[in-house]
């Protein structure tokens, strides 16, 4: 640690394990689909690694595929899971339960509008910006309560995690599609750099299954 710096906080943003709908390529959104056998095993294996980070708090979407993934970490650490509906997946409305091809066959005009950047034409759907804003707002609340040096684990879903992280970091929406999605039971890591009265959140890992390690590089910054 550099002179004058203090230990920052860390957030692990963890996507749930695999489901049958993931395998079938069906849009889940806010439909409550359970983990399949592979997904449950993924959660157990990932929890064994994440437990070594000694999380102070675990918060999760209340949809069962996320809550059960979080539960595997809770069993390892003894830290209770707190459920928050703000962490639910982006609502895809009428597309939920459909494959990509089925969505285009059933809603060709609306899907073309979506491809062109207008996400408001699918009945019951929310936009990526709306989903990202609600997750980022929840994350800010959690961090206000997280002591310095502690680790928070947030368990949620692919689209809302991707957009929520980028919204939290202030990355313009025009650049969001340049960031790939998170694989089942993979995570991204945000770490806080602190120096006297200055602090900044940084994306240190994206879509990884490995634990955070110190940066040892000529490009290391304050």
């Amino acid at each position: 640690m550099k002179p004058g710096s203090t230990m920052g906080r860390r957030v692990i943003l963890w996507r749930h394990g695999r489901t049958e709908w993931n395998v079938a390529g069906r849009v889940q959104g806010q439909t409550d689909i359970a983990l399949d056998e592979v997904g449950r095993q993924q959660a157990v294996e990932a929890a064994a690694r994440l437990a070594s980070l000694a999380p102070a708090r675990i918060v999760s979407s209340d949809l069962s595929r996320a809550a059960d993934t979080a539960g595997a970490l809770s069993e390892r650490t003894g830290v209770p899971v707190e459920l928050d509906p703000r962490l639910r997946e982006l609502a895809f409305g009428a597309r939920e339960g459909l494959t990509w091809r089925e969505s285009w066959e059933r809603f060709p005009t609306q899907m073309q509008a979506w491809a062109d950047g207008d996400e408001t034409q699918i009945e019951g759907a929310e936009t990526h910006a709306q989903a990202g804003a609600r997750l980022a707002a929840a994350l800010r609340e959690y961090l206000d309560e997280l002591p310095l040096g502690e680790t928070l684990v947030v368990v949620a879903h692919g689209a809302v995690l991707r957009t929520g992280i980028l919204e939290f970091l202030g990355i313009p929406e025009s650049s969001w599609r340049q960031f790939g999605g998170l694989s089942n039971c993979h995570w991204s890591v945000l770490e806080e750099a602190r120096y006297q009265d200055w602090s900044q959140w940084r994306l240190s890992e994206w879509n990884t299954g490995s634990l955070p390690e110190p940066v040892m590089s000529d490009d290391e910054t304050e």
Side-chain angles (χ1 to χ4, degrees):
M1 187 180 299
K2 296 179 176 62
S5 64
T6 57
M7 182 70 70
R9 298 163 291 177
R10 176 168 55 201
V11 187
I12 309 298
L13 297 118
W14 186 20
R15 188 188 175 202
H16 62 79
R18 199 184 82 172
T19 72
E20 290 184 359
W21 277 23
N22 286 146
V23 177
R26 298 195 178 279
V27 174
Q28 294 179 120
Q30 297 191 4
T31 306
D32 197 2
I33 305 301
L35 297 174
D36 65 13
E37 184 176 351
V38 170
R40 290 190 292 272
Q41 185 60 32
Q42 288 174 332
V44 169
E45 293 174 358
R49 293 190 289 277
L50 292 175
S52 67
L53 300 177
R57 189 176 184 186
I58 304 169
V59 294
S60 173
S61 159
D62 60 347
L63 297 177
S64 63
R65 58 191 185 271
D68 290 346
T69 299
L73 182 58
S74 178
E75 289 181 10
R76 281 271 182 174
T77 61
V79 178
V81 177
E82 304 169 53
L83 301 181
D84 187 342
R86 293 177 296 176
L87 305 181
R88 288 182 181 182
E89 179 61 298
L90 185 153
F92 287 88
R95 287 184 58 200
E96 293 188 11
L98 303 179
T99 65
W100 181 260
R101 175 175 291 184
E102 289 169 345
S103 296
W104 277 92
E105 290 174 349
R106 190 171 300 186
F107 308 113
T109 302
Q110 296 93 326
M111 287 298 292
Q112 186 60 57
W114 178 86
D116 293 338
D118 181 0
E119 300 180 51
T120 66
Q121 301 305 306
I122 301 292
E123 183 180 356
E126 67 180 328
T127 68
H128 282 76
Q130 289 169 333
R134 61 177 163 80
L135 186 137
L139 180 55
R140 293 184 186 101
E141 288 185 19
Y142 306 144
L143 291 174
D144 283 344
E145 302 170 356
L146 187 70
L148 292 179
E150 298 288 359
T151 296
L152 166 71
V153 175
V154 176
V155 189
H157 312 265
V160 74
L161 283 173
R162 182 174 66 86
T163 57
I165 293 167
L166 300 177
E167 170 68 23
F168 175 80
L169 291 173
I171 295 173
E173 188 179 352
S174 59
S175 297
W176 286 5
R177 290 194 178 187
Q178 295 174 258
F179 289 80
L182 275 65
S183 303
N184 285 121
C185 245
H186 279 49
W187 54 83
S188 294
V189 181
L190 298 176
E191 294 183 320
E192 182 186 32
R194 299 184 68 91
Y195 183 78
Q196 295 179 350
D197 59 351
W198 171 89
S199 70
Q200 182 180 54
W201 283 96
R202 297 170 177 167
L203 178 64
S204 59
E205 299 193 33
W206 182 263
N207 192 30
T208 183
S210 61
L211 295 176
E213 296 182 359
V215 174
M216 292 178 285
S217 166
D218 292 342
D219 192 41
E220 185 176 0
T221 57
E222 292 290 341

